[in-house]
Amino acid sequence: MLVVDDDPTVAEVVTGYLDRAGYVVDRAGDGPAALARAAGHRPDLVVLDLMLPGMDGLEVCRRMRADSGPVPVIMLTARGDEDDRILGLEVGADDYVTKPFSPRELVLRVESVLRRTRPRADTGPLGAAGLTIDPAARRATKNGAELALTLREFDLLAFFLRHPGRAYGREDLMREVWGWDFGDLSTVTVHVRRLRGKVEDDPARPRLIQTVWGVGYRFDPSAAEPAGQEA
């Protein structure tokens, strides 16, 4: 596991809590050092501060994913910077925690993200409408072409494929996919938008992941005509 923060106090506290929780933790104080460590040894998860000197966390996340693949990322952001949090999700962060934060909460978020990386034992490959997923291999394809999905995008698609035709609210999706009973619902909105961009033929006119106004979203593999609009 890699903790990236230029504040030595924050980095030390986070590292200490993760270490006591049983994780092997490496540290980096800036973007280039983080990229070098990730390239040398791919971490199971990265706790990444958004506000880093020289190269911010958004750029680190972009480059890390380009170089090391879909590494799970939890981003640390300042409270109130909603636009930055959404940008973090847009570039592929799987979760975020706002400062000041409880280190225990962060450990719980880490455990939740890592738990989602483990393949489910109760299901084999799933498929519909040209989409297939293999939970054991964490692999998804569209019409035979592999999809580059983040951890949460994969889980969201898997959930939709398991429950076609039913409408789910954002609260439902947050609980079932993220494992949270509370949180910023814009997290769900952003991930649905990103997933549409990868699985829909025309993301501006989504056919598969439809918006159900006043409720949330429905996966409809049998839809023949465009329905709904992007959230």
Side-chain angles (χ1 to χ4, degrees), residues 173-204:
L173 293 172
M174 179 162 284
R175 182 174 58 254
E176 297 294 336
V177 177
W178 276 258
W180 308 345
D181 289 323
F182 61 90
D184 185 351
L185 295 180
S186 66
T187 299
V188 177
T189 305
V190 170
H191 278 81
V192 168
R193 183 182 303 126
R194 284 179 54 85
L195 184 58
R196 281 172 167 168
K198 298 177 180 181
V199 304
E200 298 281 0
D201 293 331
D202 181 359

Side-chain angles (χ1 to χ4, degrees), residues 47-220:
V47 178
L48 177 62
D49 187 27
L50 176 64
M51 300 301 293
L52 293 171
M55 182 189 301
D56 66 19
L58 296 176
E59 184 61 23
V60 173
C61 188
R62 289 190 189 97
R63 296 191 187 188
M64 192 173 293
R65 287 192 176 281
D67 296 340
S68 303
V71 178
V73 173
I74 295 178
M75 195 162 281
L76 305 180
T77 71
R79 187 176 299 278
D81 293 341
E82 181 177 358
D83 291 343
D84 287 339
R85 294 200 299 272
I86 291 176
L87 281 173
L89 295 173
E90 290 282 8
V91 300
D94 299 288
D95 196 358
Y96 66 84
V97 176
T98 56
K99 294 181 177 181
F101 58 87
S102 161
R104 290 183 179 180
E105 177 191 357
L106 177 59
V107 171
L108 290 174
R109 294 294 182 97
V110 166
E111 291 173 348
S112 174
V113 170
L114 290 176
R115 188 165 57 248
R116 295 284 171 171
T117 67
R118 303 183 188 113
R120 289 170 56 115
D122 60 345
T123 184
L126 298 168
L131 298 169
T132 63
I133 63 165
D134 182 345
R138 300 292 295 184
R139 184 171 182 266
T141 63
K142 176 183 177 181
N143 298 325
E146 189 151 3
L147 296 171
L149 302 181
T150 67
L151 169 69
R152 296 298 188 185
E153 290 165 2
F154 184 95
D155 291 338
L156 186 59
L157 178 59
F159 183 81
F160 280 137
L161 284 170
R162 292 187 186 104
H163 304 91
R166 177 175 172 182
Y168 287 91
R170 292 187 298 171
E171 297 90 345
D172 299 323
L173 293 172
M174 179 162 284
R175 182 174 58 254
E176 297 294 336
V177 177
W178 276 258
W180 308 345
D181 289 323
F182 61 90
D184 185 351
L185 295 180
S186 66
T187 299
V188 177
T189 305
V190 170
H191 278 81
V192 168
R193 183 182 303 126
R194 284 179 54 85
L195 184 58
R196 281 172 167 168
K198 298 177 180 181
V199 304
E200 298 281 0
D201 293 331
D202 181 359
R205 295 174 174 269
R207 295 172 53 246
L208 298 174
I209 305 174
Q210 302 175 3
T211 296
V212 180
W213 299 111
V215 179
Y217 304 101
R218 176 180 59 236
F219 179 71
D220 187 356

